[in-house]
């Protein structure tokens, strides 16, 4: 099917990730990218384990990407009136609190990777029956962890006077990044809509995944006032319209957390379909249909999407890995081992093996399947022979081993082993990584040639919304995806040996940190 750039309807997507913001415009007939623009986002690390971003920089990057993309469309002689809808997909769990009167953020956004809430988590777990981190799992599908938004919000209420005062004076609004962006785009202080969708809400620890609404009991557990929360909507409906920018008047009609958006973009609509996204972190989601499946092996039960107000919610099992692409950024920015992220593939290929070197990048503790916040990063098996090429190889292997751990857990939970893995995300352009992944999983890895699954997913949701209706999500009309398959090329016994060594290294990374040591003076903590 050939795109007719002049007349085909277009759908746009804001893709606000941990390390960058992008705005992409898709042809709703062919799913091809017509134009896009990308801006990097600054991450702040004010203390060890703290990760923040500036909400004003986030929203400015969205506006910049929209305007630059619109300029590019003008150069292609494409009329902006062809853009029929905008969707928003976002880094999940990252927490923003702002003043609804001024539109000003009350503190930097606490990023999903942030670890400052470890003492808050321990306090919350200690007040649960049996001191059980899974106490809230029956309602939320999630363990009590530094990862999720309610814990970050609790920290802000406990530690930031401006946030506490704004809540008392009924001036505060809370949201994940999707809520902040949609509120700003739809008018800000001039009638901005304060909403989120089911996929993002299900990552807060305040949302009941069975009733699909905020839960009074959960809000009481975290002592969070319900009136600061956004209204929960489906992932595909008109929430409001763009107020400013070149796209003023265009409906905002799609909202999905980034991993849910990738599941939709990979067309994983059937029960049992799964995808793995390699971004800052690594996220394996398996569609479990209209019923939530409880994990016995350290995975999360989450709401994948709800494509329309009158449609049932679809659930997923999720394995979450905190550090994937972030390990390459660490090798580049912190260690100076590589000058660009592309260079890691060359270094690793030059080594051809890690030669017994294992890298566990537990910079933010370990997520699935361990949920162990006290773990820290470790490199072991070093000899005088080890050089930076081996470290580069070990870093890529670490991403693959972590995926193997969550895939094994998913196979145990579902009882039906995956026979191939669909992948997407920035790191999938690394061919060596994809081959390593197939070798370590002992199953084929399938990579679509169009890597923009996340943005495509939310564009599909926005375009399919009632009142927009320019994207048909019925099976007959889904675009044909061209893909490349990486087949395992090593002996399974070798794969098992390397994986068992990796697990040994993981055990050595455990229990490094407890809560902040009491010996630090207040001056040192500043």
């Amino acid at each position: 099917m050939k795109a007719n750039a002049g007349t085909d309807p277009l759908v746009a997507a804001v893709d606000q990730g941990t390390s960058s913001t992008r705005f992409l415009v898709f042809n709703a007939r062919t799913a091809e990218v017509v134009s896009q623009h990308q801006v990097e986002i600054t991450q702040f690390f004010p203390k060890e384990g703290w990760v923040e971003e500036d909400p004003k920089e986030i929203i400015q990057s969205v506006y910049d990407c929209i305007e630059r993309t619109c300029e590019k469309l003008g150069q292609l002689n494409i009329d902006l009136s062809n853009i029929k809808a905008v969707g928003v997909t976002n880094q999940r769990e990252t927490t923003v609190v702002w003043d609804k009167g001024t539109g000003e953020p009350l503190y930097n956004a606490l990023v999903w990777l942030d670890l400052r809430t470890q003492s808050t988590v321990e306090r919350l777990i200690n007040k649960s029956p049996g001191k059980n981190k899974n106490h809230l799992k029956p309602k939320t599908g999630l363990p009590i962890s530094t990862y999720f938004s309610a814990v970050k919000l609790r920290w802000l209420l406990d530690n930031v006077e401006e946030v506490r005062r704004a809540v008392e004076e009924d001036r505060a609004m809370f949201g994940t990044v999707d809520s902040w962006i949609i509120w700003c785009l739809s008018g800000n202080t001039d009638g901005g809509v304060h909403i989120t969708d089911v996929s993002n809400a299900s990552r807060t620890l305040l949302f009941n995944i069975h009733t699909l609404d905020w839960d009074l009991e959960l809000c009481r557990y975290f002592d969070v006032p319900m009136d600061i929360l956004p209204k929960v909507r489906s992932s595909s409906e008109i929430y409001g319209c763009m107020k400013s920018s070149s796209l003023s008047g265009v409906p905002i009609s799609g909202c999905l957390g980034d991993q849910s958006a990738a599941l939709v973009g990979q067309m994983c609509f059937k029960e049992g379909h799964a995808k793995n996204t390699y971004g800052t972190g690594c996220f394996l989601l398996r569609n479990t249909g209209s019923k939530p499946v409880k994990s016995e092996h350290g995975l999360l039960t989450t709401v994948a999407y709800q494509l329309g107000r009158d449609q049932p919610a679809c659930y997923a099992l999720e394995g979450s890995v905190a550090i994937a692409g972030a390990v390459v950024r660490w090798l580049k920015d912190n260690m100076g081992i590589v000058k660009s992220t592309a260079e890691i593939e060359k270094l690793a290929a030059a080594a051809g093996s890690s030669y017994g070197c294992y890298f566990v990048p537990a910079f933010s503790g370990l997520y699935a399947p361990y949920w162990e916040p006290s773990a820290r990063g470790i490199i072991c098996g070093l000899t005088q022979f080890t050089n930076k090429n081996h470290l580069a190889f070990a870093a890529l292997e670490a991403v693959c081993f972590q995926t193997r751990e969550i895939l094994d857990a998913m196979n145990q939970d579902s009882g039906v082993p995956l026979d191939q893995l669909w992948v997407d995300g920035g790191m999938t352009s690394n061919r060596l990584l994809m081959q390593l992944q197939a070798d370590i999983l002992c199953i084929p890895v399938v990579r679509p040639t169009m890597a923009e699954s996340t943005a495509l997913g939310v564009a599909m949701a926005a375009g399919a919304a009632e009142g927009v209706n320019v994207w048909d999500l019925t099976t007959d009309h889904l675009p044909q995806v061209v893909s490349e398959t990486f087949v395992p090329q090593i002996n399974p016994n070798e794969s098992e040996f390397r994986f068992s060594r990796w697990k040994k290294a993981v055990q050595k990374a455990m229990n490094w940190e407890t809560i902040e040591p009491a010996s630090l003076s207040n001056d040192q903590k500043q």
Side-chain angles (χ1 to χ4, degrees):
M1 200 185 334
K2 190 68 193 130
N4 184 342
T7 58
D8 278 354
L10 307 176
V11 180
V14 174
D15 181 357
Q16 205 299 301
T18 315
S19 54
S20 71
T21 299
R22 295 189 306 159
F23 188 71
L24 300 93
V25 176
F26 293 90
N27 182 310
R29 297 269 180 269
T30 64
E32 291 168 332
V33 178
V34 178
S35 185
Q36 62 171 301
H37 190 72
Q38 180 169 5
V39 172
E40 280 216 346
I41 294 290
T42 313
Q43 292 179 9
F44 303 100
F45 306 97
K47 293 188 193 178
E48 187 191 347
W50 292 31
V51 190
E52 299 178 0
E53 293 179 352
D54 178 358
K56 290 167 85 166
E57 182 189 348
I58 289 174
I59 194 61
Q60 189 55 51
S61 71
V62 171
Y63 284 124
D64 290 349
C65 286
I66 290 172
E67 293 311 315
R68 288 299 305 277
T69 305
C70 289
E71 285 169 23
K72 292 175 185 178
L73 289 171
Q75 290 160 11
L76 295 168
N77 293 320
I78 294 172
D79 195 325
L80 295 185
S81 67
N82 288 359
I83 298 177
K84 303 303 181 188
V86 175
V88 175
T89 182
N90 55 291
Q91 50 170 315
R92 303 169 304 169
E93 300 95 14
T94 296
T95 300
V96 188
V97 181
W98 67 96
D99 186 312
K100 63 185 172 191
T102 65
E104 289 292 310
L106 296 167
Y107 197 77
N108 271 348
L110 301 194
V111 176
W112 57 277
L113 284 164
D114 187 280
L115 278 181
R116 77 188 65 190
T117 54
Q118 197 174 330
S119 53
T120 310
V121 164
E122 292 188 15
R123 196 177 74 242
L124 288 162
I125 290 172
N126 285 338
K127 76 170 191 176
S128 70
K131 299 188 176 180
N132 178 10
K133 69 182 172 193
N134 293 318
H135 172 56
L136 305 177
K137 237 181 169 183
K139 278 190 174 184
T140 65
L142 313 173
I144 302 168
S145 159
T146 58
Y147 184 19
F148 305 111
S149 314
V151 180
K152 301 178 193 298
L153 177 56
R154 184 66 261 153
W155 186 92
L156 289 167
L157 290 165
D158 289 338
N159 294 280
V160 182
E161 180 58 35
E162 272 188 85
V163 172
R164 190 163 51 235
R165 200 177 318 120
V167 169
E168 284 166 4
E169 295 169 6
D170 197 29
R171 292 183 287 110
M173 282 182 161
F174 154 81
T176 39
V177 171
D178 55 305
S179 299
W180 167 243
I181 290 172
I182 291 171
W183 187 79
C184 290
L185 292 181
S186 62
N188 198 294
T189 54
D190 181 21
V193 293
H194 187 211
I195 67 107
T196 188
D197 90 299
V198 290
S199 71
N200 280 295
S202 76
R203 313 297 294 188
T204 60
L205 280 171
L206 301 172
F207 182 78
N208 186 317
I209 61 173
H210 308 284
T211 64
L212 299 180
D213 211 345
W214 303 121
D215 188 281
L216 181 59
E217 209 175 89
L218 292 171
C219 290
R220 281 185 182 144
Y221 187 83
F222 289 96
D223 196 17
V224 164
M226 290 183 89
D227 55 6
I228 71 170
L229 305 179
K231 186 168 171 46
V232 182
R233 307 278 286 269
S234 79
S235 314
S236 176
E237 59 177 280
I238 295 174
Y239 314 115
C241 289
M242 299 283 286
K243 266 282 173 68
S244 53
S245 87
S246 301
L247 299 181
S248 189
V250 175
I252 304 167
S253 55
C255 178
L256 284 163
D258 52 8
Q259 303 314 319
S260 288
L263 197 71
V264 172
Q266 288 263 33
M267 326 284 169
C268 293
F269 293 125
K270 289 202 175 97
E271 195 174 326
H273 282 181
K275 65 88 208 171
N276 198 30
T277 299
Y278 299 75
T280 299
C282 211
F283 302 90
L284 176 59
L285 270 74
R286 182 173 187 145
N287 185 327
T288 63
S290 58
K291 288 196 176 67
V293 172
K294 188 176 170 225
S295 173
E296 304 294 343
H297 299 93
L299 302 180
L300 309 176
T301 304
T302 199
V303 181
Y305 53 79
Q306 183 190 13
L307 295 176
R309 263 183 293 202
D310 305 322
Q311 296 300 312
C314 185
Y315 295 87
L317 272 176
E318 173 174 327
S320 321
V321 168
I323 303 292
V327 76
V328 181
R329 195 165 174 166
W330 181 82
L331 287 173
K332 176 170 74 79
D333 296 345
N334 294 36
M335 308 305 285
I337 284 175
V338 292
K339 293 188 179 65
S340 69
T341 49
E343 196 188 333
I344 193 165
E345 186 171 1
K346 286 189 198 125
L347 291 187
S353 161
S354 68
Y355 283 93
C357 171
Y358 288 85
F359 189 166
V360 182
F363 304 153
S364 295
L366 285 167
Y367 284 15
Y370 300 102
W371 298 105
E372 185 46 74
S374 69
R376 285 296 177 273
I378 189 169
I379 301 171
C380 51
L382 299 174
T383 67
Q384 284 179 304
F385 181 67
T386 310
N387 62 33
K388 65 179 184 179
N389 297 0
H390 303 124
L391 274 185
F393 195 97
L396 294 183
E397 269 196 322
V399 176
C400 300
F401 287 135
Q402 290 181 104
T403 298
R404 165 77 190 264
E405 292 205 283
I406 53 179
L407 187 86
D408 284 357
M410 200 160 276
N411 287 341
Q412 286 176 289
D413 272 332
S414 68
V416 185
L418 281 179
D419 55 7
Q420 60 179 21
L421 182 66
W422 288 82
V423 299
D424 59 79
M427 285 190 91
T428 61
S429 61
N430 185 324
R431 297 181 64 83
L432 175 60
L433 177 73
M434 294 295 93
Q435 186 56 55
L436 271 176
Q437 188 66 87
D439 290 346
I440 287 165
L441 296 180
C442 303
I443 59 172
V445 167
V446 185
R447 179 184 71 180
T449 49
M450 207 289 285
E452 310 300 346
S453 303
T454 302
L456 174 60
V458 83
M460 289 163 66
E466 190 181 337
V468 178
N469 303 112
V470 296
W471 209 306
D472 190 341
L473 297 187
T474 54
T475 312
D476 302 347
H477 292 85
L478 291 176
Q480 290 300 305
V481 179
V482 181
S483 59
E484 180 178 5
T485 300
F486 295 82
V487 179
Q489 290 178 354
I490 65 168
N491 183 314
N493 291 341
E494 186 192 335
S495 178
E496 289 304 319
F497 173 75
R498 281 156 59 180
F499 184 51
S500 66
R501 292 290 290 273
W502 154 265
K503 291 211 275 202
K504 195 172 166 185
V506 168
Q507 290 309 312
K508 293 186 186 305
M510 297 286 199
N511 303 312
W512 274 93
E513 282 294 328
T514 51
I515 55 174
E516 256 185 308
S519 58
L520 283 187
S521 70
N522 284 334
D523 290 345
Q524 285 172 293
K525 286 184 191 176
Q526 293 309 313

